[in-house]
């Protein structure tokens, strides 16, 4: 099964993608996580990506597409995946379609997690992330067992640099301009499915499993 997660920054794409990956036994491929891992490891890609991410802008398509195409070559991605944060522009979606066509496959579902902008800034300021394993928490809605410590790996949790309110506003603007058009793109391909992302974590996941099947 090949799934694309759509939605504004902070809509809950990553939270739901991790649950999908665990339930359906497919890898969770998050371009944001891959960039953050590169930043943490001080790679050339990380240095380039950071300058865009810190300003709430998108990393250029040519860097992003080649990174995802490389990831698709890994053995665990051969039977499917859940893409989180990619594609994010029409050219990225077209590159993805071209690559899938070459391998005789296609996107099965594009799941749009719909959350209005008003809810987003509040969600982002409460998010805490683990830079080591990529787990995410929320101070109010999904708190870790021990304050400030990742349940999965014991690392300290941080507020992401790009989760500060002024950067979140810029990310929302970029989302509406460059990523929201993908909703129509996938609707035209008859693979778009909408879920109400304002509900609780488990209710959102129930809507998704109703779409993907048990
Ligand atoms: P990326 O990491 O992909 O960020 P994003 O898309 O902006 O999404 P987020 O990770 O911020 O949010 P999310 O929707 O996954 O929400 P989450 O589940 O964490 O990208 C970061 C940057 O990298 C981009 O700005 C760009 O610069 C660059 N980049 C990445 N991909 C790129 C690409 N393809 N092209 C170019 N540049 C790219 O949830 C948010 C919070 O809410 C959490 O605290 C969570 O616990 C909580 N929460 C989740 N669901 C619920 C719920 N139902 N109720 C209450 N709380 C909830």
């Amino acid at each position: 099964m090949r799934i694309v997660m759509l939605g504004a920054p902070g809509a809950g794409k990553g939270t739901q993608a991790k649950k999908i990956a665990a339930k359906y036994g497919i890898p969770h491929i998050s371009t944001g996580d891959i960039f953050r891992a590169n930043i943490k490891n001080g790679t050339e890609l990380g240095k380039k990506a950071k300058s865009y991410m810190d300003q709430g802008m998108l990393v250029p398509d040519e860097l992003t597409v080649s990174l995802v195409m490389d990831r698709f070559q890994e053995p665990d991605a051969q039977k499917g995946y859940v893409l989180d944060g990619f594609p994010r522009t029409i050219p990225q979606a077209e590159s993805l379609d071209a690559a899938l066509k070459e391998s005789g496959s296609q996107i099965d579902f594009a799941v749009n997690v719909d959350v209005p902008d008003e809810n987003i800034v509040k969600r982002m300021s409460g998010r805490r992330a683990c830079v080591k394993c990529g787990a995410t928490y929320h101070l109010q809605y999904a708190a870790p067992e021990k304050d400030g410590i990742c349940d999965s790996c014991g690392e300290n949790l941080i507020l992401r640099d790009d989760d500060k309110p002024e950067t979140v506003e810029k990310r929302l603007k970029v989302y509406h301009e460059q990523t929201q058009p993908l909703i129509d793109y996938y609707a035209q391909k008859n693979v778009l499915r909408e879920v109400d992302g304002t509900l609780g974590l488990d209710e959102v996941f129930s809507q998704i499993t109703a779409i993907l099947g048990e």
Side-chain angles (χ1 to χ4, degrees):
M1 188 152 46
R2 291 176 176 80
I3 303 163
V4 166
M5 299 302 289
L6 297 175
K13 302 179 298 294
T15 301
Q16 299 299 329
K18 288 186 186 89
K19 287 160 98 61
I20 293 169
K23 181 173 170 74
Y24 297 94
I26 49 177
H28 166 211
I29 301 179
S30 157
T31 39
D33 285 352
I34 298 173
F35 288 136
R36 282 184 288 277
N38 275 275
I39 291 171
K40 187 168 179 248
N41 295 330
T43 68
E44 275 311 306
L45 173 66
K47 281 177 201 154
K48 283 186 193 153
K50 187 171 173 18
S51 59
Y52 296 97
M53 290 169 75
D54 282 353
Q55 296 176 65
M57 290 161 61
L58 296 184
V59 178
D61 287 342
E62 58 273 21
L63 287 180
T64 311
V65 170
S66 67
L67 167 95
V68 176
M69 295 307 144
D70 285 351
R71 180 65 184 84
F72 283 171
Q73 302 309 315
E74 302 285 328
D76 67 340
Q78 300 315 305
K79 289 203 177 134
Y81 36 73
V82 51
L83 293 176
D84 164 17
F86 181 91
R88 232 180 174 98
T89 62
I90 297 284
Q92 289 183 13
E94 288 170 348
S95 301
L96 174 62
D97 280 347
L100 289 172
K101 199 170 171 198
E102 228 170 76
S103 63
S105 53
Q106 60 184 24
I107 292 300
D108 299 303
F109 297 105
V111 178
N112 184 39
V113 183
D114 187 30
V115 177
D117 287 7
E118 308 81 91
N119 302 30
I120 295 285
V121 179
K122 187 174 168 209
R123 275 211 191 162
M124 304 297 244
S125 59
R127 172 163 59 182
R128 294 295 177 273
C130 176
V131 273
K132 189 169 174 203
C133 74
T136 47
Y137 301 87
H138 193 282
L139 296 179
Q140 191 180 348
Y141 308 115
E145 279 173 21
K146 266 197 219 158
D147 241 12
I149 304 289
C150 178
D151 292 347
S152 312
C153 71
E155 186 78 13
N156 288 333
L157 300 177
I158 58 147
L159 174 69
R160 272 169 42 180
D161 283 343
D162 61 348
D163 278 353
K164 293 174 183 136
E166 58 281 13
T167 316
V168 170
E169 272 166 34
K170 171 73 181 167
R171 286 165 65 195
L172 278 170
K173 189 167 178 283
V174 168
Y175 165 76
H176 289 300
E177 286 169 3
Q178 299 195 52
T179 308
Q180 206 171 19
L182 291 176
I183 295 176
D184 281 345
Y185 181 91
Y186 285 110
Q188 279 167 21
K189 294 182 180 294
N190 292 321
V191 293
L192 181 73
R193 303 290 183 274
E194 298 272 0
V195 297
D196 180 353
T198 63
L199 302 176
L201 302 178
D202 293 336
E203 288 160 291
V204 177
F205 191 55
S206 297
Q207 294 177 72
I208 293 176
T209 54
I211 291 165
L212 305 182
E214 280 304 324

